[in-house]
Amino acid sequence: MKYKRFYLESAVVMMTAIAMIAALYVLLGYHGSGIRTPFRYGGGDAYTNYATIKNLGENGKYWENDYLGAPFSSNEYDFSASFLQNTERLSAFIIYKFAGDVFTTANIQYMLTFPFCMIIAYIVLRNLGIKMILALLGAVTYGFAPAAFSRGIHHYCLAACYFIPLAILLCVWLYEDERFFALDKGFFKYKRNWAGIVIALLIANNGIAYYPFFTCFYIAVIIICGLLRGKKPAIIIRGIVSIAFIAGFMVLALLPTVIYHHRFGATGITARSVADAEQYSLKITQMFIPTFDHGIGRLGRIIATYNTNMPLVNENGCAYLGLAAGVGFILSMFYLFVQRKENEVAERNTLMGLMNLSAILFFTVGGVISLISVVIENYSLRGYNRVSVFIMFAGIVVLCSSIQMLLETIKIKPLRIVILGVTLIMFAVSIWIQTPPRGYYYDSMQGNKAAAKSDKEFIEYIEDEAGEGAMIFQLPYHKYPEGGPVIGMPDYAQLTGFLFSNNLRWSYGGVFGRYSDEWNRTVSELSAEDMVEVIARAGFSGICIDQRAYDEETLNVLDAELSSILGATKYVSENGSLSYYTLTPYTNSADGIGDKKILSIEEIAAEYSE
């Protein structure tokens, strides 16, 4: 009987996951444009995710890229966050082997994130004693987490919030189970300890340091709460063990960066302003303002008024909890002030309330973390609004357990039916308001499809003209990473060539402060005539220009110079964004170009200085 129930329950969960995928296929706009259409396109952080997927899928690695930073190469060793996304990297690698396409892989990975979040949330809720129906409602609500929609593919490392329920579970175990992570002879015989180690491993490799940091913060809160509420002092040791496992796995993941910086020094490209800790912190108001208005005029005006007029509105808009989790959050605050009888559920909900209150006190604008950041001069972490998904799941735990406790208390059947009906309506409305309206992404997906088609055809032309293994010099020079938009060219837009080519090498993508970046910047600052000579001598086969980065007058001057020097006309993409000049006629006619040599920065300065 037990196994039959397990199989039945598993079947229900899997059917729910399939239904979620079907709904997402429509809600995200894939039904109108196809799964191969990029969900985000044109530039921005999504492009770094696409580039990583392509390099990982085709070359089996993401930490080094021989196709960027030409005539040298590029690598990810300066980006510590890249090495803390190993669970996402693994899933992308597996999906790519079946999909065989960058955008299809990214779309499938993103779409599967939602049901994956639901499944893990369901497992955790059931582990916490929530009955099947309520656990399924709570899990689906978390599965459609507003943050996952808001973060999207461009911040997929944060949209992939599937292990946060496990982080909350780890905290509950630490508080309630005195055997959990107790350093005794039976440590490795206790199965829950092995589960805790696996959870620590997963958390450490997810959420680009933020999710591990918040988990460790909650563990510290658990230790303090445990001591104040009469737990044995051993909870301190057990909490430190929990943090040590997470930190230890993070250190292992970061070893490539540590070794690289020890050998070559750090560039500091990931450093942040200390003011960012205030600017990108959590705002309580935005925890209750929906992302989508669903055509409700009054709601739309509220959202627009707040976003337009209030200060410090940025990515913290991703903090919306949803109706159900918002109610659960408010309930968790009530548990802090209501006297209760000895009750395990009430005690756990009080714990959730203390965790939520601690997060609010620390991570809101003007919170404790802002002061700490100033004192310790923290220039790394900044987006503390990202704790909202922890608050969301804790709120769902409180709501589900409170409803269950209420249903178990009330013996009048009609009243129980009414409560269950209200519960179903509340969760249904919550899921509806959390998810994008049908057709919300339709226009953008159609635009992405057309733009991607134009770029793909343009890059294919360059491949045919330049030949396999050719190097393409890109203009204008643009800092990588976080160079920012230039006129109409979005940041990271120059990764387009790499995304669509099979064997070309591109000058963009050398990490700022490293030699490949300095070389390309130096060459781009030469006169047009000298620049062409240097890149031809280095073996480049053509020049690709992102025309959006120039005003009309500057672009006309550049085109006139290159046409005169190269004796060739440019090839322009269908949408007019990109243009290309071949160096072949120039290389064949210029004296000495046949003897290719990559000049060093010092040689360039000596030979071409005015």
Side-chain angles (χ1 to χ4, degrees):
M1 189 67 176
K2 183 178 179 181
Y3 289 108
K4 286 183 179 180
R5 181 176 178 82
F6 172 78
Y7 290 130
L8 175 62
E9 194 169 338
S10 299
V12 170
V13 172
M14 293 311 299
M15 288 174 64
T16 303
I18 293 170
M20 287 180 68
I21 293 172
L24 287 161
Y25 190 80
V26 175
L27 291 175
L28 297 178
Y30 299 127
H31 70 296
S33 56
I35 196 68
R36 291 182 178 274
T37 301
F39 185 69
R40 288 290 292 262
Y41 195 74
D45 289 343
Y47 267 37
T48 62
N49 186 34
Y50 292 149
T52 298
I53 291 173
K54 179 179 173 65
N55 195 33
L56 182 62
E58 293 187 356
N59 306 315
K61 56 186 178 181
Y62 61 82
W63 49 90
E64 294 175 346
N65 194 325
D66 297 330
Y67 295 90
L68 296 176
F72 306 98
S73 62
S74 182
N75 63 65
E76 294 285 307
Y77 295 118
D78 284 309
F79 306 99
S80 56
S82 293
F83 295 91
L84 296 173
Q85 304 176 54
N86 293 309
T87 53
E88 296 94 290
R89 305 298 195 216
L90 178 60
S91 65
F93 179 78
I94 294 172
I95 294 170
Y96 191 94
K97 293 305 176 185
F98 291 95
D101 172 76
V102 174
F103 302 121
T104 306
T105 298
N107 290 337
I108 292 175
Q109 184 185 43
Y110 181 51
M111 196 162 52
L112 289 179
T113 298
F114 297 88
F116 193 30
C117 285
M118 181 275 294
I119 292 170
I120 294 182
Y122 180 83
I123 293 171
V124 171
L125 288 170
R126 292 292 282 145
N127 189 278
L128 294 176
I130 308 298
K131 292 184 178 179
M132 180 179 171
I133 297 298
L134 285 172
L136 193 62
L137 290 171
V140 173
T141 303
Y142 182 77
F144 285 119
F149 287 108
S150 300
R151 300 292 179 185
I153 284 178
H154 53 296
H155 275 177
Y156 181 72
C157 52
L158 297 170
C161 52
Y162 25 69
F163 298 133
I164 287 170
L166 295 176
I168 298 297
L169 180 63
L170 187 148
C171 291
V172 172
W173 283 350
L174 183 64
Y175 184 81
E176 295 180 351
D177 186 353
E178 294 184 355
R179 288 189 63 190
F180 183 62
F181 279 163
L183 295 179
D184 54 30
K185 294 181 179 179
F187 184 91
F188 291 108
K189 295 181 180 179
Y190 191 41
K191 292 182 179 179
R192 186 171 280 186
N193 287 344
W194 283 106
I197 293 171
V198 172
I199 291 173
L201 173 64
L202 295 174
I203 290 170
N205 288 279
N206 172 246
I208 57 170
Y210 283 97
Y211 294 166
F213 170 76
F214 293 136
T215 303
C216 292
F217 167 80
Y218 275 127
I219 291 172
V221 171
I222 291 297
I223 293 173
I224 295 171
C225 290
L227 292 174
L228 293 177
R229 300 176 74 82
K231 297 289 183 179
K232 295 180 181 179
I235 195 173
I236 301 174
I237 303 299
R238 295 190 295 110
I240 291 174
V241 170
S242 304
I243 294 173
F245 273 120
I246 295 172
F249 287 127
M250 289 181 71
V251 170
L252 288 176
L254 290 171
L255 275 180
T257 289
V258 173
I259 295 171
Y260 184 80
H261 284 173
H262 177 72
R263 293 182 61 189
F264 302 107
T267 61
I269 58 170
T270 57
R272 308 297 190 182
S273 165
V274 70
D276 288 348
E278 182 88 353
Q279 183 173 355
Y280 295 101
S281 287
L282 186 69
K283 297 177 74 177
I284 297 175
T285 308
Q286 290 177 309
M287 292 164 55
F288 297 94
I289 295 182
T291 307
F292 312 106
D293 63 21
H294 286 272
I296 303 173
R298 177 59 178 163
L299 179 59
R301 288 192 295 274
I302 291 172
I303 296 171
T305 300
Y306 187 90
N307 291 339
T308 302
N309 296 284
M310 296 302 178
L312 301 181
V313 175
N314 44 61
E315 71 157 68
N316 47 33
C318 300
Y320 177 54
L321 300 180
L323 174 62
V327 172
F329 169 79
I330 294 170
L331 280 175
S332 72
M333 296 296 102
F334 277 113
Y335 274 97
L336 301 179
F337 300 101
V338 177
Q339 188 175 6
R340 61 203 172 280
K341 299 177 181 179
E342 289 299 323
N343 182 295
E344 182 181 347
V345 175
E347 179 77 8
R348 182 180 294 161
N349 288 346
T350 302
L351 180 67
M352 295 293 139
L354 290 168
M355 292 163 64
N356 282 341
L357 180 61
S358 300
I360 295 297
L361 291 174
F362 267 78
F363 301 122
T364 50
V365 173
V368 178
I369 199 66
S370 297
L371 177 61
I372 293 175
S373 296
V374 171
V375 172
I376 67 174
E377 298 183 352
N378 167 39
Y379 297 107
S380 297
L381 297 180
R382 60 170 181 171
Y384 296 111
N385 63 84
R386 298 166 183 180
V387 75
S388 62
V389 279
F390 285 78
I391 296 173
M392 180 188 180
F393 187 74
I396 289 173
V397 171
V398 172
L399 179 62
C400 290
S401 59
S402 297
I403 293 172
Q404 181 169 299
M405 188 165 51
L406 181 62
L407 289 171
E408 290 173 348
T409 302
I410 295 175
K411 304 301 180 182
I412 304 173
K413 188 174 181 180
L415 185 56
R416 286 166 55 90
I417 293 174
V418 170
I419 293 172
L420 188 57
V422 171
T423 298
L424 290 171
I425 292 172
M426 179 178 60
F427 275 106
V429 171
S430 184
I431 293 169
W432 171 71
I433 205 73
Q434 289 174 202
T435 54
R438 181 175 179 178
Y440 184 83
Y441 295 108
Y442 181 83
D443 290 341
S444 63
M445 290 291 280
Q446 293 300 315
N448 293 347
K449 187 174 185 178
K453 178 178 178 294
S454 174
D455 290 341
K456 183 175 185 293
E457 292 173 352
F458 176 79
I459 301 304
E460 286 175 347
Y461 169 85
I462 296 178
E463 281 191 318
D464 291 339
E465 195 283 329
E468 184 174 349
M471 294 192 297
I472 309 300
F473 192 78
Q474 293 171 270
L475 290 176
Y477 161 80
H478 197 231
K479 174 187 171 184
Y480 177 84
E482 298 184 345
V486 180
I487 306 181
M489 181 185 77
D491 201 5
Y492 302 114
Q494 289 183 328
L495 287 171
T496 299
F498 171 67
L499 295 180
F500 286 105
S501 62
N502 296 316
N503 47 54
L504 298 178
R505 298 177 62 199
W506 304 85
S507 62
Y508 175 72
V511 177
F512 182 74
R514 298 300 180 187
Y515 194 83
S516 59
D517 170 76
E518 292 293 332
W519 191 92
N520 277 287
R521 181 178 60 80
T522 300
V523 172
S524 69
E525 292 174 350
L526 297 173
S527 67
E529 186 174 358
D530 290 344
M531 177 191 70
V532 169
E533 183 175 339
V534 171
I535 62 176
R537 291 173 67 174
F540 282 89
S541 299
I543 300 174
C544 181
I545 303 172
D546 195 313
Q547 301 192 137
R548 297 169 294 179
Y550 297 88
D551 58 59
E552 185 177 356
E553 182 180 351
T554 305
L555 182 61
N556 288 338
V557 171
L558 177 62
D559 283 335
E561 290 179 329
L562 291 178
S563 296
S564 175
I565 296 167
L566 299 175
T569 57
K570 67 180 180 180
Y571 174 78
V572 183
S573 64
E574 181 182 344
N575 60 12
S577 297
L578 306 173
S579 62
Y580 174 75
Y581 284 95
T582 178
L583 290 178
T584 303
Y586 175 87
T587 303
N588 291 338
S589 63
D591 294 334
I593 297 301
D595 184 19
K596 303 293 191 301
K597 178 188 178 184
I598 301 174
L599 300 178
S600 67
I601 294 175
E602 293 75 19
E603 288 172 327
I604 293 171
E607 188 169 342
Y608 294 92
S609 60
E610 295 181 359

